[in-house]
Amino acid sequence: MTETLKGSCLCDRVEYAVQDPQALAYCHCSRCQRWTGSSLAGVVVAKENFRFTKGEDLVKTYESELAPRNFCSNCGSSLYDDLGEVYFVAAGLMPDLDLEPSFHQQVAYKASWHQIGDDAPQFAEMPPG
Ligand SMILES: [Zn+2]
Ligand SMILES: [Zn+2]
């Protein structure tokens, strides 16, 4: 069991804890650009390794065509996408996160102004598997 990482939204009314983060993945698709204002940096976490520690009642869900996307209804921070077995948790909300980028997906749709500055693998669409 690795250490517990804590995350919180911009207004600090929603807090959560994460264990055993599996990967740090970037999605550059046009939907994630609109969801985040840039690319989505998401930490892949098994559903059972994510739990709220505060403010779960403030969490609202937007049923996007890809996955339910959860956000703080007070400040609007993107919290996580529910991909079933795993959650895709917004990396920027976890100040103590210490993970190297794992991969970039949907790079074919990347904003022209976004420069990828690491050597992680890039996939034009979704990564295999
Ligand atoms: Zn908030
Ligand atoms: Zn995306």
Side-chain angles (χ1 to χ4, degrees):
M1 187 72 73
T2 57
E3 64 174 321
T4 300
L5 290 167
K6 292 180 170 32
S8 61
C9 63
L10 180 60
C11 73
D12 286 325
R13 288 171 69 175
V14 177
E15 293 180 358
Y16 56 84
V18 161
Q19 280 178 318
D20 294 326
Q22 295 168 8
L24 172 57
Y26 289 78
C27 187
H28 298 274
C29 79
S30 59
R31 294 188 188 96
C32 287
Q33 288 175 34
R34 284 188 277 170
W35 174 238
T36 65
S38 181
S39 62
L40 171 62
V43 180
V44 181
V45 177
K47 186 175 195 156
E48 62 267 23
N49 289 331
F50 177 98
R51 66 186 164 85
F52 287 104
T53 52
K54 196 170 100 177
E56 185 173 1
D57 57 315
L58 287 171
V59 177
K60 291 264 192 299
T61 302
Y62 169 63
E63 298 287 345
S64 80
E65 53 197 281
L66 179 71
R69 309 197 106 158
N70 299 279
F71 61 97
C72 172
S73 61
N74 187 56
C75 71
S77 296
S78 304
L79 296 168
Y80 67 95
D81 296 349
D82 182 351
L83 302 180
E85 295 296 300
V86 296
Y87 283 176
F88 207 55
V89 187
L93 303 182
M94 285 183 269
D96 296 326
L97 181 69
D98 184 21
L99 276 182
E100 295 291 317
S102 307
F103 61 86
H104 297 262
Q105 67 183 34
Q106 307 273 18
V107 172
Y109 311 99
K110 182 177 77 59
S112 59
W113 43 259
H114 186 109
Q115 307 284 332
I116 295 175
D118 59 63
D119 296 327
Q122 297 182 19
F123 302 99
E125 307 269 340
M126 296 299 284

